[in-house]
Amino acid sequence: MRPEILFPLFAPLSTLKGVGPRVAPLLARVAGDKVRDVLWLRPHSIVRRTPAVLSAAIDGQVMTFEVAIQDHQRPRTSAQPWRMQVADETGLMTLVFFGRFGEGLAQRHPVGARRVVSGRVEESKFGRQMVHPDYMVAPDKADEIPEVEAVYPATEGLPPRRVRAFAHEALSHAPEMPEWQDPAWLARQGFPSWREALARTHNPEAEADLEASSAHRRRLAYDELLAHQLAMAQRKAARRREPAPRIAAGALAGRIQAALPFRFTGAQDRALADIRADLAAGERMSRLVQGDVGSGKTVVAMCAMADVAEAGGQSALMAPTEILARQHFETLSGPLEIHGLGVVLLTGRDKGAVRAAKLRALASGAAKVAVGTHALFQDEVAFHKLQLVIVDEQHRFGVAERQRLQAKGPGTHLIAMSATPIPRTLELTMYGDLDVSRIEEKPPGRTPVATRAVPMPRIDEIVGRLKQAVAGGAQAFWICPLVSESELSDLAAAEQRAKALRHLIGPGVGLVHGQMPAAEKDAVMSDFADNKLSVLVATTVVEVGVNVPNATIMVIEQAERFGLAQLHQLRGRVGRGRRESACVLLYDPPLSETAQQRLDILRRTDDGFAIAERDLELRGGGDALGLRQSGLPDYVFADPFAHRDLIAAAGDDARLIVSRDPDLKSERGQALQVLQELFDWKAGLALRDAG
Ligand code: ADP
Ligand code: MG
């Protein structure tokens, strides 16, 4: 139930004065369909209407003058504007009106009348003029003209000044709210009240008032972040209350580990220990394991699967593509089957009797582990005793898809795996309802990938070397970015590139792109993985986690267009083995200073987490990182980078609140419920969260 105090803000736009059936859809295009959404608009700049005399007019500036009307020049043809001569003691100006203004103008502004006009001054070949003044009022109404005016986003048919008027109208509908923040914290931060903060947002007095660092903006950002963190903390607490199978670490995993040709890194040991603590706790686990491609997440998951199997349960590992699923199957089936644990690979390709046999093995419990694609969560797939779900490249799946798989067993534990390193500062906003383990260390013995930035004009040289390397048995990825508005022209560019390389290097050049049917894409990828192709041209990051150990060269065209983290991930596809690998970043010169810095970082370090952190600093916002796609929420006031200190504080605050007042029943708790409602961040809205 929505608290009554919020009714005016959740009312339709038509409750705002001046918003009728014609304006409402226009305003909805700029804001949203509720009064609250208009209240949440923010001016993006301000205009100063400097009062001046005409002799001090400056070309191109918005200024305000008090003038007398001297003459009207009526248009002789309909194409001509209406012109009005005005003057003060220091000079002359022409006001210009296009369109059908007619005699009304002359009646409203008779010769001899005094007017205050405000608008942009232009010095033209017709002399000084002002086209369509923003304001034109009698001197006793001059205070209707703001000296500092906030400029709002607008749309066709709804100019910024009308949007501003509606925002002010919405502000007048905003009630005083019960304070949901801790008064001591507010005082320490110097934050205004919620309503004061909004009032200041809509009445900026200087540029500084528009900045993310202003006290009123930080207050609103904190409100929003707290609402979100609170929802996640509540969800986490609720999950912990759900009963889940208690699974103890067994001896089998240790035997499997001992048989591997390598030893776990410290980071892998820690991640496994985290998982085991969760599994033994009798609470439902939701743990994200973050680690670069090749950091060894899959073998960690394998040990957890062995624990579950030894305790009599089943596990399912879901990957976003068939080729990834197959690679996981190959990694897991050997070590697990030696110890008598049946592993089944289930993809969309399975048909008829083979598929039926696999389904039977899962339903009877004969198979302890299922590895597969989307095929896993289909209705016909049933498990005997599913207790652990592992989702690889978790951001490639919808929450609903993951939940369908989890629903195939009671209280199933979840491990989500991701090779996209999230900066620590953003971890809370993206995964606040999950527990996170980071694998920050790479297995030993990998040679770092030699990374070079090369200007595009030297592409022939690169192709020449590529040809040599390929002749010597090497394999290479060649990435063409999606850059233009049209996917088709990008595709054409990639096709061209593939053609040119085929011409120069030979027929072993394949092409994959986003518009190919999945099966066709998989076929090309497999050919490359099986070394039937030596060069793979790809339009985007087609297969993030794909493992082609023989590939040692990565060429990235227009590298300056990619985010650092993305470049790092692409680079991670080579350098899997002991052989020397190379990454060539082709760029269109000249490089901007930031682009230069970014490429330098990549050359200097191989630590995905450090790179993600630097990328965020250099670009100053989660948006630019393309993180929204991978689950960064769409905040109204909060800027994940500028307000990163507030994210941490809101996370702490939320945990404290939930531990003291889990049902938000205290006085502050009730105010917090209003806050959550206000921002639509309610614990019940499960589908918006990752866990
Ligand atoms: P991720 O899933 O994190 O990308 P994988 O688990 O697929 O990484 O591991 C990549 C490769 O590294 C695999 O061939 C795996 O057998 C190997 N590997 C994993 N852990 C280690 C380790 N500690 N030492 C050496 N090799 C390892
Ligand atoms: Mg992987």
Side-chain angles (χ1 to χ4, degrees), residues 88-287:
D88 67 8
E89 296 70 43
T90 69
L92 298 172
M93 180 165 70
T94 307
L95 305 182
V96 182
F97 298 86
F98 289 93
R100 287 194 241 150
F101 284 90
E103 294 299 325
L105 268 178
Q107 275 156 27
R108 264 182 289 130
H109 305 294
V111 170
R114 297 191 70 78
R115 292 289 179 262
V116 181
V117 296
S118 185
R120 192 171 302 281
V121 182
E122 286 167 29
E123 300 290 351
S124 76
K125 62 182 180 210
F126 306 110
R128 181 180 302 135
Q129 61 179 39
M130 186 183 283
V131 180
H132 292 226
D134 301 328
Y135 294 89
M136 187 161 181
V137 297
D140 61 332
K141 297 252 177 70
D143 55 359
E144 284 176 12
I145 306 178
E147 222 175 280
V148 175
E149 186 169 315
V151 186
Y152 282 77
T155 186
E156 199 177 321
L158 203 62
R161 276 172 56 213
R162 293 211 56 205
V163 177
R164 171 173 163 271
F166 292 133
H168 279 243
E169 172 71 10
L171 182 61
S172 74
H173 288 229
E176 293 285 353
M177 295 284 187
E179 184 55 74
W180 43 67
Q181 298 293 4
D182 172 30
W185 159 257
L186 291 180
R188 214 160 49 234
Q189 292 285 321
F191 283 168
S193 76
W194 176 79
R195 200 173 183 299
E196 280 164 359
L198 280 167
R200 186 61 176 259
T201 301
H202 293 294
N203 295 284
E205 285 162 18
E207 270 81 4
D209 286 339
L210 304 175
E211 282 170 16
S213 57
S214 60
H216 54 278
R217 172 78 183 279
R218 280 171 60 81
R219 152 87 213 213
L220 297 170
Y222 191 73
D223 287 343
E224 184 171 33
L225 290 167
L226 182 63
H228 182 204
Q229 289 297 323
L230 200 51
M232 289 197 289
Q234 285 174 304
R235 274 173 51 67
K236 204 162 167 174
R239 201 183 69 225
R240 293 222 163 114
R241 287 194 295 269
E242 285 175 49
R246 210 180 268 277
I247 295 160
L252 192 55
R255 288 208 297 278
I256 291 175
Q257 242 177 303
L260 291 172
F262 50 78
R263 297 191 45 192
F264 270 24
T265 61
Q268 284 173 308
D269 281 334
R270 282 190 295 277
L272 182 58
D274 289 345
I275 290 169
R276 284 183 160 158
D278 290 347
L279 287 175
E283 295 170 353
R284 211 147 70 82
M285 164 171 71
S286 278
R287 180 167 292 277

Side-chain angles (χ1 to χ4, degrees), residues 292-294 297-298 324 328 392-393 417 419 545-546 576:
D292 271 348
V293 167
K297 300 183 288 294
T298 313
L324 274 176
H328 284 313
D392 191 21
E393 307 297 343
M417 302 199 290
V546 75
R576 296 283 183 105

Side-chain angles (χ1 to χ4, degrees), residues 384-403:
H384 173 62
K385 197 172 176 187
L386 181 66
Q387 295 186 321
L388 172 64
V389 162
I390 300 165
V391 181
D392 191 21
E393 307 297 343
Q394 58 90 27
H395 58 276
R396 302 268 297 264
F397 291 96
V399 177
E401 295 176 328
R402 195 206 66 221
Q403 284 175 344

Side-chain angles (χ1 to χ4, degrees), residues 183 199 223 272 323 410 454 503 525 560 599 631:
D223 287 343
L272 182 58
I323 183 163
V454 177
H503 182 69
M525 291 294 308
E560 73 278 10
L599 296 186

